[in-house]
Amino acid sequence: MFETIACGEKIYLPNWGMETLHHVHASDVAQLFFKTIEHRNQSLGESFHAVAEESMTLYGYARLMYEFFHKQPNIDFLPWDKWTEYEGNADEVSHTYYHIARSGKYSIENAKRLLGYQPQFTTQETVIEAIQSYIERGVIKLLK
């Protein structure tokens, strides 16, 4: 899909693209783990979410990728059953389903309040860093 976006071609998202994703930077996850150790007494018996401050919809993610590749967004939507046919790859369909089916909203307020947790990276920064890494490692292959 990233190569398709990089070429400015149309992509299709499942449903209306409003399912949410919570990308979080590895160093922010490490920060939360460290803070739970550092503040052991406040952490005991508590539950914390290692996520970024905000989530992103599939549609927002797609728009961010078109922006990243300096292309005009070219996005359309398909009902789930039609989207699975469009995608065609059973592994990708399964992976996508388990990513979006929960479409949860996770809060970091408990970690902020009790531990002073504050993510250093936004969801957008985390996604862009990951995509840049994919390009550098050849996972995403761009036309020259």
Side-chain angles (χ1 to χ4, degrees), residues 57-73:
T57 64
L58 289 178
Y59 180 70
Y61 189 110
R63 287 188 59 89
L64 179 65
M65 290 299 91
Y66 278 100
E67 268 180 41
F68 176 80
F69 290 111
H70 307 288
K71 303 294 180 184
Q72 284 295 112

Side-chain angles (χ1 to χ4, degrees), residues 1 11-17 58-59 62 75-79 83:
M1 173 180 75
I11 64 162
Y12 293 89
L13 297 177
N15 308 317
W16 297 108
L58 289 178
Y59 180 70
I75 305 165
D76 212 341
F77 308 94
L78 292 170
W83 183 84

Side-chain angles (χ1 to χ4, degrees), residues 62-119:
R63 287 188 59 89
L64 179 65
M65 290 299 91
Y66 278 100
E67 268 180 41
F68 176 80
F69 290 111
H70 307 288
K71 303 294 180 184
Q72 284 295 112
N74 193 358
I75 305 165
D76 212 341
F77 308 94
L78 292 170
W80 180 257
D81 60 332
K82 298 291 184 202
W83 183 84
T84 61
E85 291 173 23
Y86 159 75
E87 173 52 48
N89 180 321
D91 287 338
E92 286 297 322
V93 168
S94 177
H95 184 73
T96 300
Y97 176 80
Y98 286 109
H99 242 75
I100 69 173
R102 294 169 190 90
S103 196
K105 169 68 175 126
Y106 304 97
S107 173
I108 63 170
E109 291 308 311
N110 200 33
K112 286 171 75 173
R113 181 174 50 81
L114 293 175
L115 309 175
Y117 174 63
Q118 184 59 55

Side-chain angles (χ1 to χ4, degrees), residues 10 13 17 19 22 65:
K10 181 181 277 194
L13 297 177
E19 294 84 357
H22 284 272
M65 290 299 91

